[in-house]
Amino acid sequence: MKKSFLNNSNSLLTVMLQCKTPEAAISKIRNANCLGADAYGLQVETLMPEFQNPDTFKRLFTEMRNKPCYVTNYRYAYNQKLTDDELADGIITLAESGATLCDVMGDIFCKHPEELTDNDEAIQKQMKLIEKLHSMGAEVLMSSHLYKFAPAERVLEIAFEQKRRGADIIKIVTAADNMEQQIENLRITNLLKQELGAPFLFLSGGVSTIHRRLGGHLGNCMTLCVYDHDALSTASQPLLSTMKTIRDSIDF
């Protein structure tokens, strides 16, 4: 039976892979498998263009040993010159290759400063893309990276709109400039759990150490982490070894 990012009892320890070559990704996958990773997140935009193909994707998914894989195909790194339609085609190829969970940017087809387009034509294209991915058996996450602190009302507004567009998992990334905002983000995480009625991933940058580490206990369906920190990894994502200890040791 194909594993899923949905309906799990624990927040899945998802090891993010930002690698230029499949060999580098495979090394991290094998090491993370030994440490008890639950799932993987392949950030395709960081793979060199010659490796962004079905053969490479299938090879990497096989190395994950039937663990679910979340995939992104964002606009940066090696994807900077691609159109949004080309990015969407890439997401479809990833689903065809066996990806479990596909990330659809909230402003794909029409850029928006809060990564949630309000353009009606773009929204309709997003919904059709989500329907196609679902028809292929893939799960869909919609992401909105604000990279700034947002009050609870705005976070909930974005979350419900992503849900309306058909996303299975809601992903919102804000920020915290001080401890007060980080504590508020913890409260917002709990609000999402109480009110959204859908799986979610609410993250923050800036002052985010507590939020990143406790979000899984408060309702996040995934915990994004890394096997190690190198030049390409996201510094705010904690180590898998740290998150496994926290998840397995804190009981509340």
Side-chain angles (χ1 to χ4, degrees):
M1 181 177 179
K2 185 176 180 180
K3 294 190 176 180
S4 171
F5 279 92
L6 306 176
N7 303 314
N8 294 291
S9 57
N10 290 320
S11 179
L12 295 185
L13 299 179
T14 305
V15 175
M16 302 304 292
L17 304 167
Q18 297 190 70
C19 304
K20 292 184 178 181
T21 66
E23 288 73 24
I26 288 169
S27 176
K28 290 181 185 292
I29 292 167
R30 290 179 177 176
N31 285 324
N33 273 336
C34 294
L35 285 183
D38 295 322
Y40 291 93
L42 178 62
Q43 298 200 236
V44 173
E45 62 275 1
T46 64
L47 276 174
M48 296 170 68
E50 58 263 39
F51 300 122
Q52 294 189 24
N53 57 68
D55 287 342
T56 298
F57 301 151
K58 291 174 184 178
R59 180 184 173 197
L60 294 176
F61 297 153
T62 298
E63 286 286 343
M64 294 171 190
R65 299 184 183 177
N66 201 37
K67 294 179 180 178
C69 185
Y70 160 49
V71 294
T72 70
N73 200 34
Y74 293 154
R75 295 185 179 105
Y76 63 87
Y78 290 108
N79 285 355
Q80 292 181 60
K81 295 183 179 181
L82 299 182
T83 67
D84 282 8
D85 286 302
E86 289 172 326
L87 293 176
D89 288 341
I91 295 168
I92 291 169
T93 298
L94 283 158
E96 290 173 336
S97 301
T100 313
L101 176 65
C102 297
D103 190 315
V104 172
M105 295 180 293
D107 68 344
I108 194 169
F109 306 126
C110 185
K111 287 186 179 180
H112 186 277
E114 290 188 332
E115 207 170 283
L116 187 74
T117 186
D118 53 5
N119 179 279
D120 290 338
E121 182 178 351
I123 292 170
Q124 291 303 312
K125 287 183 69 174
Q126 288 180 359
M127 294 172 76
K128 288 180 180 178
L129 173 60
I130 291 171
E131 288 177 3
K132 182 171 182 61
L133 291 168
H134 280 155
S135 73
M136 299 168 67
E139 298 163 3
V140 177
L141 173 152
M142 180 167 278
S143 60
S144 294
H145 296 77
L146 283 67
Y147 295 126
K148 63 181 181 181
F149 177 76
E153 293 77 12
R154 180 55 179 156
V155 174
L156 288 169
E157 181 181 23
I158 292 171
F160 278 104
E161 177 58 19
Q162 288 188 7
K163 181 180 177 181
R164 185 189 72 82
R165 295 182 192 182
D168 301 298
I169 297 176
I170 279 65
K171 178 183 176 183
I172 302 171
V173 183
T174 61
D177 298 321
N178 51 54
M179 184 57 71
E180 182 179 357
Q181 290 181 352
Q182 180 171 209
I183 292 171
E184 177 63 6
N185 282 338
L186 292 171
R187 188 185 74 86
I188 294 171
T189 307
N190 190 56
L191 274 176
L192 288 166
K193 181 179 181 180
Q194 292 176 334
E195 299 186 19
L196 183 59
F200 67 89
L201 177 59
F202 178 49
L203 303 171
S204 58
V207 181
S208 62
T209 304
I210 297 173
H211 189 206
R212 288 270 180 173
R213 284 155 179 76
L214 294 185
H217 286 279
L218 296 176
N220 279 344
C221 67
M222 304 160 63
T223 296
L224 305 190
C225 51
V226 293
Y227 170 71
D228 58 8
H229 285 118
D230 59 21
L232 293 179
S233 62
T234 300
S236 60
Q237 291 173 349
L239 293 172
L240 167 63
S241 56
T242 299
M243 293 313 305
K244 184 168 176 57
T245 298
I246 291 173
R247 189 191 68 178
D248 295 346
S249 301
I250 298 178
D251 183 16
F252 67 82

